[in-house]
Amino acid sequence: MFEVDLLIVGAGPAGLCAALEAGQEGLSVLLVDENAKPGGQLFKQIHKFFGSEMHKAGTRGFRIGENLVREIAECPNITLWLNSVVFSAIDQNHFEVVHNCSVQVINTKKVIVATGAIEKGLVFPGWTLPGVMGAGALQTMININRVRPGNKLLMVGSGNVGLIVSYQFLQAGGESVILVEAANRIGGYGVHASKIRRYGTNIITGCSVESVSGNGKVESAILAKVDDKFQTIKGTQWEEKVDIVAIAAGLYPLMELLRQLGCEFTMCPPLGGWVPVHDERMETSLNGIFIAGDVSGAEEASTAMEEGRLAAWSVTYDLAKCTKNKYESVRIDITKRLEALRSGPYGIARKNAKDSIYAIAKNFSKLR
Amino acid sequence: MRVIAHPILGNINQDNEVTVYVDGKEMRGIEGEPIAAMLAANKIYTHRLTKKRHEPRGIFCAIGRCTDCVMIVDGIPNVRTCVTPLKEGMVIETQHGVGHWGGEKSV
Amino acid sequence: MEENLKTCGVISSDEFKNCKGWPSEERFSKGPVAILECIEEIPCNPCECSCPKGAIYVGHPITNLPTLDESKCVGCKSCIASCPGLAIFVEDHTFSDKEALVSFPFEFIPYPKKGEKVSAVNRKSEVVCPAVVHDIYCTKSNDATMIVTLRVDKEYVHQVRSCKMLGD
């Protein structure tokens, strides 16, 4: 039995920041990740982040990752288990982990689940053909694995992920990009769209992919204009020769462990679908089970890092490892930063969604 | 195709080359990279064929979640090639159907 | 459909009217000056902190559009690489009678070389005129974002926003 104050599941941006805050406040922390390297999806983010200069905006994502991993290694209170899978929740304090080819039982006072999110698919004839992949998958291939699985990209979806990965495909030597968006407006930041437009990307709004075909691998795609109900407008189909199709249709929280634990969920489309109910302190419907990052609703690495810090401080306070004054002042600071990241026309839907989840959580905190 | 030079990330280190076997064919890859990366660099995109319709499947999520890219590696089926590091001498095979561990016949 | 930032990724002339980072023609005639092509309320402020002269103001809330104080800006280009949206440019209309300079961020290899002849492109990647690379540099804090300055015919300077990638 391995005994700790805090078990953190997932060493992405949220888990890393949570571990650092809690470890630096003197909690014993076990940080577990199923991958061979920590960082989650931070290392494939090679663009400079938006946000407040005071909190690393203007810095490339992978540099933020490098710094966090270095700080984690320097903190004596944090144990990092890689290639390790938390596969079972016995109860709210006991978890089973496959680590070094054996099963370890963890006895922990509190838990932060920071398991992230996974890309949504988009179903059309040919979507299973090799060469059709998630936009994040393409980003992993070109930026982490350093292999470009084709030259002519069809990007489906104009959210920030679709726009950013299109740009990074060009940076990785890709020949051409066609980006289609079913809505009549580009979904992500205009500046990201401008970036790819300047280098020849054809951005087509009100357009979708009808089918993809090829012999063993993507060779061409049929595109069509769609109406405002996303239905194909007859006679508008045309063919484009492409060899990769990337789907940027959003993400949904990865919450198997929380399902196992019996957390309450709520349907919340702006945050990716089913989302665990949680309060402003990042605690779920179960006492002592906290969440942070995309598992609490798919957003961005910058919000994930702040949520990780917030969850860590909630745990620190609940374990009486800091004063109420200290906790309150940190909590207010982080909450202000989160509100800033969720402000403006791009943030307001996420802010409202989070507020509605916090409202639901009020009922559960009474039951706890 | 390998992204050897990159404006932000610099050049890749190709020093630790290894030899592996893909469906009996000798291929070169970089030690420690995911098997899927070696395959894509060698322009191999079909990792398995589905059980009923024998349709090709390849990389879909590239982070070990979707299991679309599984293959038989050193005799073990259903190995996620996007997160399994490449080692010298690895024997990698296209998987037909759902895979088997010996004894029963593959579909 | 009207072509604008949200339909095709190119800011329309209408949208430019809301831009608080576009200097006056009078200011352009006096020397190098920054242009902040930022018209959406995104929570972001690295440009404000990057300016050594305090010529860029975002303030609170952080979603405010950046405002350029054209009297303080000296066109030093420090802000160009700070913008995660790569939406800041510097133009110098005083370079010579016929030619002007335009500087922009550039993140593709191979890099153009100083003195090289390249094709200048507009916001839609259309070639607008030939150009000569006047300067190209990257500081450590720019973190791999090159700052390229092209010498172009004055007539086209407002249109030029990058150069054609050399791999093409």
Side-chain angles (χ1 to χ4, degrees):
Chain A
M1 182 106 72
F2 197 92
E3 292 194 17
V4 288
D5 291 326
L6 173 61
L7 168 67
I8 301 175
V9 187
L16 288 172
C17 285
L20 264 182
E21 297 290 315
Q24 284 166 355
E25 291 309 302
L27 275 69
S28 61
V29 179
L30 176 62
L31 177 58
V32 183
D33 196 285
E34 66 175 332
N35 296 290
K37 288 174 189 155
Q41 308 312 311
L42 206 45
F43 284 94
K44 68 189 187 192
Q45 314 293 335
I46 64 167
H47 52 281
K48 293 176 179 172
F49 280 11
F50 286 78
S52 155
E53 166 83 18
M54 265 175 75
H55 300 97
K56 302 281 161 69
T59 306
R60 298 188 188 278
F62 71 100
R63 302 255 184 247
I64 297 172
E66 286 166 355
N67 289 337
L68 287 173
V69 169
R70 193 178 314 125
E71 286 177 70
I72 291 276
E74 286 165 3
C75 182
N77 297 332
I78 303 169
T79 306
L80 174 62
W81 284 2
L82 296 171
N83 292 309
S84 305
V85 181
V86 180
F87 70 96
S88 135
I90 301 168
D91 60 37
Q92 279 155 245
N93 300 100
H94 297 87
F95 292 79
E96 288 178 291
V97 183
V98 179
H99 174 62
N100 282 343
C101 299
S102 70
V103 175
Q104 307 275 333
V105 177
I106 312 300
N107 179 2
T108 185
K109 291 176 184 149
K110 305 279 176 189
V111 181
I112 298 175
V113 176
T115 44
I118 186 80
E119 293 190 278
K120 290 177 183 171
L122 196 64
V123 180
F124 47 81
W127 81 291
T128 57
L129 200 59
V132 180
M133 61 184 77
L138 177 60
Q139 195 179 28
T140 300
M141 292 303 286
I142 55 179
N143 295 345
I144 304 278
N145 300 340
R146 297 293 295 270
V147 178
R148 197 177 65 249
N151 287 317
K152 294 173 194 289
L153 169 65
L154 170 65
M155 177 63 72
V156 185
S158 70
N160 279 335
V161 172
L163 299 171
I164 289 170
V165 177
S166 295
Y167 181 73
Q168 291 174 358
F169 179 76
L170 295 172
Q171 288 184 302
E175 221 173 87
S176 62
V177 181
I178 300 168
L179 188 148
V180 295
E181 165 59 55
N184 58 15
R185 284 168 68 80
I186 292 166
Y189 294 167
V191 283
H192 282 317
S194 298
K195 261 157 66 172
I196 56 174
R197 189 69 209 269
R198 230 180 282 154
Y199 298 104
T201 296
N202 191 5
I203 302 174
I204 314 168
T205 50
C207 174
S208 191
V209 56
E210 202 164 84
S211 66
V212 168
S213 62
N215 184 17
K217 194 195 180 226
V218 173
E219 289 168 1
S220 81
I222 304 292
L223 305 178
K225 299 295 276 181
V226 294
D227 60 24
D228 49 12
K229 293 187 179 76
F230 304 140
Q231 300 303 307
T232 300
I233 301 171
K234 272 190 188 146
T236 61
Q237 289 94 337
W238 78 100
E239 184 181 11
E240 291 283 357
K241 296 285 177 200
V242 293
D243 54 10
I244 316 180
V245 177
I247 301 170
L251 299 115
Y252 65 89
L254 262 178
M255 53 208 180
E256 293 92 334
L257 197 63
L258 296 165
R259 288 273 187 206
Q260 234 187 79
L261 279 158
C263 289
E264 293 295 333
F265 289 82
T266 182
M267 183 38 105
C268 188
L271 294 172
W274 286 100
V275 173
V277 173
H278 59 281
D279 59 20
E280 290 99 324
R281 321 169 62 239
M282 304 312 296
E283 193 166 19
T284 63
S285 59
L286 297 176
N287 199 5
I289 306 292
F290 293 76
I291 52 175
D294 277 359
V295 72
S296 77
E299 292 185 87
E300 301 161 342
S302 44
T303 45
M305 291 188 284
E306 297 295 1
E307 283 192 343
R309 294 184 185 111
L310 182 57
W313 278 97
S314 302
V315 168
T316 304
Y317 175 67
D318 287 359
L319 293 177
K321 295 282 174 94
C322 68
T323 63
K324 183 161 189 176
N325 283 345
K326 173 73 185 170
Y327 166 67
E328 278 303 323
S329 78
V330 175
R331 187 186 65 78
I332 288 165
D333 278 354
I334 299 175
T335 305
K336 272 188 196 154
R337 299 205 292 266
L338 276 169
E339 276 180 2
L341 289 170
R342 292 175 185 139
S343 60
Y346 289 95
I348 192 72
R350 286 180 286 123
K351 183 186 185 303
N352 292 341
K354 279 281 183 182
D355 285 346
S356 70
I357 291 170
Y358 301 153
I360 299 168
K362 282 214 169 89
N363 299 325
F364 290 108
S365 52
K366 276 177 217 151
L367 297 172
R368 274 201 307 259
Chain B
M1 203 174 300
R2 290 217 184 270
V3 181
I4 293 166
H6 192 284
I8 310 301
L9 299 165
N11 289 356
I12 46 170
N13 181 353
Q14 290 177 288
D15 291 347
N16 299 320
E17 269 211 356
V18 291
T19 302
V20 296
Y21 303 89
V22 181
D23 289 334
K25 210 173 149 194
E26 195 176 300
M27 278 177 194
R28 310 285 283 166
I30 301 170
E31 186 176 21
E33 72 177 337
I35 295 168
M38 177 277 296
L39 292 170
N42 284 285
K43 294 196 159 47
I44 293 173
Y45 302 106
T46 297
H47 293 218
R48 66 183 178 99
L49 297 166
T50 58
K51 182 176 172 176
K52 285 181 187 162
R53 290 197 251 170
H54 314 292
E55 288 172 348
R57 292 285 191 273
I59 299 158
F60 188 75
C61 82
I63 55 169
R65 299 305 315 181
C66 77
T67 68
D68 229 18
C69 69
V70 299
M71 296 179 85
I72 304 167
V73 178
D74 292 334
I76 300 170
N78 299 315
V79 172
R80 297 173 298 170
T81 55
C82 68
V83 291
T84 304
L86 195 68
K87 287 183 194 135
E88 174 68 35
M90 252 180 180
V91 176
I92 299 149
E93 297 166 85
T94 304
Q95 181 169 321
H96 296 258
V98 293
H100 70 115
W101 275 263
E104 58 191 297
K105 278 237 157 70
S106 170
V107 181
Chain C
M1 203 182 322
E2 196 211 346
E3 289 205 336
N4 61 34
L5 188 65
K6 299 310 287 184
T7 58
C8 71
V10 177
I11 301 184
S12 67
S13 46
D14 256 11
E15 288 172 320
F16 265 125
K17 285 176 194 152
N18 307 325
C19 179
K20 296 176 176 178
W22 191 276
S24 65
E25 281 308 313
E26 193 202 344
R27 176 63 189 83
F28 277 121
S29 70
K30 285 181 182 164
V33 65
I35 302 164
L36 319 172
E37 298 196 356
C38 179
I39 61 156
E40 289 186 307
E41 293 171 336
I42 294 167
C44 191
N45 69 1
C47 56
E48 178 175 36
C49 311
S50 74
C51 181
K53 301 286 176 187
I56 302 176
Y57 177 76
V58 177
H60 297 283
I62 193 178
T63 46
N64 285 342
L65 295 182
T67 303
L68 181 78
D69 183 338
E70 59 179 36
S71 65
K72 287 183 184 166
C73 176
V74 295
C76 72
K77 306 179 209 164
S78 300
C79 51
I80 293 179
S82 77
C83 173
L86 304 187
I88 304 183
F89 307 86
V90 169
E91 291 182 9
D92 179 3
H93 296 196
T94 62
F95 178 71
S96 74
D97 284 349
K98 287 192 168 156
E99 288 181 308
L101 301 179
V102 54
S103 303
F104 51 84
F106 193 75
E107 299 187 322
F108 299 94
I109 50 172
Y111 298 127
K113 290 181 191 70
K114 200 168 168 172
E116 195 174 342
K117 286 180 181 148
V118 294
S119 299
V121 298
N122 63 11
R123 296 175 184 87
K124 300 177 185 177
S125 87
E126 296 160 345
V127 174
V128 284
C129 61
V132 174
V133 179
H134 184 75
D135 194 13
I136 172 165
Y137 70 89
C138 180
T139 65
K140 193 166 181 291
S141 66
N142 287 2
D143 195 3
T145 305
M146 304 299 291
I147 308 298
V148 175
T149 302
L150 297 185
R151 215 157 64 222
V152 298
D153 190 319
K154 247 183 192 170
E155 189 185 338
Y156 301 110
V157 65
H158 280 335
Q159 292 178 45
V160 174
R161 283 300 171 261
S162 190
C163 62
K164 211 167 155 63
M165 275 190 255
L166 299 180
D168 291 4

